[in-house]
Amino acid sequence: MDLKNIGWIGLGKMGTPMARKLVDAGYSVTVYNRSKEKEAALRSSGVSSAESPAQLMQQATVIFLMVSDDAATREIFTNEQGLLQAQATGKIIINMSTVSPGVSQEMANLCQQQQHHYLDAPVSGSVKQAEEGQLVIMVGGEEAVFNQVKPILDQLGKLTLRVGNTGAGNTAKLAINTLLGFYAQGLAEAVIFAQQRGIQPQDLLTLIGNSALGNIFTKLKGEAILANNFQPAFALKHIAKDLRLAQQEGSHTPLAEVVQATFEQAEPSLGEEDIIAIIKHLSAENTSN
């Protein structure tokens, strides 16, 4: 099996730099994306393109997906030009999207019927980590298949860890993004509370950064708050979606319920902005109360 022959579906903010990392590592990469101009941006790097997921499935041995949600995943697998319409067997499909464990189980079962292998392998990290190959990759699926493709995944991340069977990677990602929601809302609330009582945000963030609570997320999002820069590295609509998925999987703890409700309320007006734009929603809520 030629594991150097890669197919990549989904060239968004994360997918494009991840596909480019594999090109730079010497893999032969064929891409498919609904928006063809995004494919064109990679062609100068020697990437070829397929007309459909089915065609890409025939050309590649290992196929990666990095798409938005469950619906997009199902469409890529099952529509009339989808992956599973290809006359092929024995392919390895790695879904790096943040989707539900249920859709991974569903797609894995369909793949098994055609003698394909499916791994769920969502990532923790944003565009900068994707560009630098410093993502954290959590994988669910068959151990033997994981071991085959781990050297490829290691080109994309600083840590690649199999955490269980099909859907386990998705569950781990929802747990991490639930904590991410806690961090974002907690940081925003701390800044608002302190500022309303005369503490400058810069001073508070300096204190936090030098305390046991200091971390990369606080540093980056603290800088975004100070610069009033809410351009999306990770859009608020995506964390709202992930918190809904976690809730559907049974995440009903007190903090999870509150954070899910907060982001749900903020999504209609702030969904296209960065996750830390939640501070604008909370400030408005605090003022109105």
Side-chain angles (χ1 to χ4, degrees):
M1 183 182 288
D2 181 12
L3 298 182
K4 283 284 187 180
N5 192 3
I6 303 292
W8 192 281
I9 298 175
L11 297 173
K13 286 180 180 294
M14 297 289 287
T16 295
M18 291 168 76
R20 187 170 279 121
K21 287 296 293 183
L22 294 181
V23 174
D24 292 345
Y27 291 90
S28 173
V29 179
T30 302
V31 300
Y32 169 78
N33 196 72
R34 285 180 300 180
S35 170
K36 297 304 175 186
E37 61 268 19
K38 291 184 178 178
E39 291 182 357
L42 279 173
R43 285 200 198 104
S44 61
S45 304
V47 167
S48 57
S49 62
E51 290 302 311
S52 68
Q55 186 185 91
L56 183 136
M57 185 79 150
Q58 290 171 329
Q59 295 174 356
T61 305
V62 182
I63 296 93
F64 287 86
L65 279 71
M66 183 53 113
V67 297
S68 56
D69 54 24
D70 286 20
T73 294
R74 283 195 183 93
E75 181 180 359
I76 286 162
F77 275 88
T78 64
N79 73 12
E80 60 184 19
Q81 291 294 315
L83 292 172
L84 297 178
Q85 302 307 310
Q87 299 301 309
T89 58
K91 304 301 177 95
I92 298 173
I93 303 170
I94 304 174
N95 191 353
M96 306 195 80
S97 318
T98 300
V99 295
S100 69
V103 84
S104 279
Q105 286 284 358
E106 184 183 334
M107 295 307 109
N109 290 339
L110 292 175
C111 286
Q112 189 175 30
Q113 291 170 21
Q114 295 190 7
Q115 298 175 37
H116 302 306
H117 306 282
Y118 177 99
L119 298 176
D120 48 290
V123 305
S124 181
S126 194
V127 175
K128 180 174 169 51
Q129 288 74 38
E131 291 171 345
E132 296 175 354
Q134 292 293 298
L135 296 166
V136 172
I137 304 170
M138 54 217 80
V139 184
E142 188 180 343
E143 187 171 8
V145 178
F146 167 73
N147 289 335
Q148 275 187 288
V149 300
K150 186 175 184 294
I152 308 173
L153 294 170
D154 286 343
Q155 299 295 328
L156 302 172
K158 64 180 180 180
L159 173 68
T160 304
L161 183 66
R162 178 181 175 269
V163 293
N165 294 324
T166 302
N170 299 135
T171 300
K173 177 61 187 290
L174 294 180
I176 288 171
N177 275 16
T178 297
L179 181 60
L180 182 66
F182 296 169
Y183 275 165
Q185 182 162 341
L187 178 62
E189 289 188 12
V191 170
I192 291 167
F193 173 79
Q195 188 171 28
Q196 289 178 338
R197 286 152 185 83
I199 306 297
Q200 291 301 310
Q202 175 67 75
D203 290 339
L204 179 70
L205 290 164
T206 298
L207 292 169
I208 293 172
N210 284 277
S211 75
L213 297 173
N215 57 42
I216 294 296
F217 181 83
T218 300
K219 179 179 185 298
L220 294 175
K221 299 313 176 185
E223 289 171 355
I225 290 170
L226 293 175
N228 201 34
N229 175 16
F230 302 107
Q231 289 296 310
F234 181 52
L236 188 145
K237 65 182 179 182
H238 295 318
I239 190 69
K241 179 261 293 183
D242 296 347
L243 291 167
R244 282 193 294 273
L245 287 177
Q247 188 178 61
Q248 290 164 18
E249 291 297 313
S251 177
H252 297 299
T253 59
L255 278 179
E257 292 280 1
V258 169
V259 170
Q260 194 274 331
T262 302
F263 280 94
E264 191 90 6
Q265 293 160 10
E267 186 179 9
S269 59
L270 298 170
E272 299 299 330
E273 298 188 39
D274 190 72
I275 180 175
I276 203 60
I278 197 66
I279 194 169
K280 297 199 283 188
H281 172 77
L282 292 167
S283 294
E285 288 286 301
N286 196 269
T287 301
S288 64
N289 292 335

